[in-house]
Amino acid sequence: MYRVMLIDDETSARSLLRASINWQALDMEVVGEAASGIEAINVIDDMKPDIAFVDISMPFMNGIEFTEVATNRYPNLIIIIMTAMDEFEYARKCVSLPVFEYLLKPIVRTEITDTLEKVKAKLDAGLDFINEPVDENELDSIEQIKKYIRENYTDSKINQTSVAQYFGFSASYLSRKFKQETGKNFVEYLTECRMERAIELAKCGVKMFKASSDVGIPDPNYFGRCFKKYTSMSYSDYVANNGNN
């Protein structure tokens, strides 16, 4: 749900705006109000609005000054300026700021609703776009992680934590995303890489202790258990049946 802030020194104007719009139907909620630009700046970090309705004429810090400060701090904040007729041309000519729309006071419900529907379309499109560099980046990261494992599985010290740290993730995040994207957990994929190489070594008749070390599992007993679980055969039996083939 998109978060809306109302900034106007007139309490009645804020109350009217809050009451006259079906915010829920627009997937929006009014999360806070302020009676001046200064007050708004002081609380905006707590409110975290996506949209701000801003009266152009307020004491201490007017709407233009607020917009300059707020959009520098939050470049994606959508500003809707509310202004009286005698200030309208001033607002449009003097402000070269990223203002989404200028609305005349007194407010007209249909105009505000139309404007908010355009705002929602913009925010929805932006959200879809963001959810999609995130998904592609995550998929690309998982492919990079798989490549890293394939290139480094012979290192006996490689594990989920070390790989997560290398790529700048938490171990729990990596675990969740790796399973989600590959259908296997991290250890399963690492073991698979090691066992595929172990099979190649077994076919060449390499002794188990040497194969164990070569694939990054220094404990031959643990290596033997992993190999049997993966191939349903002991290493020695696999060498006997497939060695030098």
Side-chain angles (χ1 to χ4, degrees), residues 84-131:
M85 177 64 78
D86 59 352
E87 300 166 329
F88 189 69
E89 287 306 315
Y90 158 71
R92 299 199 65 171
K93 288 179 181 178
C94 294
V95 180
S96 58
L97 294 169
V99 174
F100 186 85
E101 187 61 276
Y102 299 87
L103 296 177
L104 280 173
K105 285 185 168 184
I107 62 173
V108 178
R109 182 189 304 177
T110 55
E111 289 182 2
I112 294 177
T113 300
D114 288 346
T115 298
L116 287 173
E117 286 175 347
K118 293 175 185 175
V119 169
K120 184 178 185 306
K122 177 182 174 68
L123 289 170
D124 286 347
L127 186 62
D128 289 343
F129 177 75
I130 290 170
N131 285 341

Side-chain angles (χ1 to χ4, degrees), residues 12 32 36 51 65 69 97 100 133 140 161 191 206 210-211 232 245:
S12 59
S36 71
I51 307 157
E65 293 167 330
V69 174
L97 294 169
F100 186 85
D140 184 59
T161 300
T191 301
V206 176
K210 180 68 165 60
S232 299
N245 287 347

Side-chain angles (χ1 to χ4, degrees), residues 137 140-149 151-152 158-170 173-174 186:
N137 283 343
D140 184 59
S141 294
I142 295 301
E143 289 303 314
Q144 290 298 316
I145 289 168
K146 289 168 66 178
K147 182 174 183 288
Y148 181 85
I149 293 170
E151 293 174 349
N152 293 277
I158 191 173
N159 57 39
Q160 183 170 281
T161 300
S162 68
V163 173
Q165 289 175 345
Y166 181 85
F167 283 90
F169 299 134
S170 68
Y173 176 83
L174 173 58
F186 178 91

Side-chain angles (χ1 to χ4, degrees), residues 180-192:
Q180 180 181 324
E181 301 299 341
T182 68
K184 303 172 184 176
N185 65 41
F186 178 91
V187 173
E188 286 174 336
Y189 187 78
L190 175 59
T191 301
E192 179 180 294

Side-chain angles (χ1 to χ4, degrees), residues 5-11 13-14 33-41 52-68 70 79-84 87 90 105:
M5 190 172 182
L6 310 180
I7 307 166
D8 196 312
D9 61 326
E10 297 180 11
T11 303
R14 300 197 308 270
E33 301 181 8
S36 71
I38 289 179
E39 182 184 344
I41 288 297
F53 281 86
V54 184
D55 182 31
I56 201 171
S57 179
M58 294 182 291
F60 309 118
M61 176 186 281
N62 65 32
I64 292 174
E65 293 167 330
F66 166 81
T67 300
E68 289 176 331
I79 301 285
I80 299 171
I81 292 286
M82 300 180 293
T83 177
E87 300 166 329
Y90 158 71
K105 285 185 168 184

Side-chain angles (χ1 to χ4, degrees), residues 144-239:
Q144 290 298 316
I145 289 168
K146 289 168 66 178
K147 182 174 183 288
Y148 181 85
I149 293 170
R150 291 194 300 270
E151 293 174 349
N152 293 277
Y153 66 83
T154 57
D155 181 356
S156 62
K157 295 180 181 178
I158 191 173
N159 57 39
Q160 183 170 281
T161 300
S162 68
V163 173
Q165 289 175 345
Y166 181 85
F167 283 90
F169 299 134
S170 68
S172 60
Y173 176 83
L174 173 58
S175 175
R176 183 174 68 255
K177 291 305 297 182
F178 197 90
K179 176 72 171 180
Q180 180 181 324
E181 301 299 341
T182 68
K184 303 172 184 176
N185 65 41
F186 178 91
V187 173
E188 286 174 336
Y189 187 78
L190 175 59
T191 301
E192 179 180 294
C193 291
R194 286 171 165 168
M195 292 303 101
E196 288 299 315
R197 176 56 180 161
I199 288 171
E200 293 176 2
L201 295 173
K203 288 179 178 178
C204 295
V206 176
K207 299 293 185 181
M208 188 172 81
F209 76 90
K210 180 68 165 60
S212 172
S213 176
D214 285 353
V215 301
I217 303 177
D219 181 351
N221 291 326
Y222 178 66
F223 169 83
R225 292 196 298 272
C226 290
F227 190 90
K228 187 168 186 178
K229 181 177 179 181
Y230 191 78
T231 65
S232 299
M233 295 179 67
S234 69
Y235 187 83
S236 57
D237 287 343
Y238 197 94
V239 169

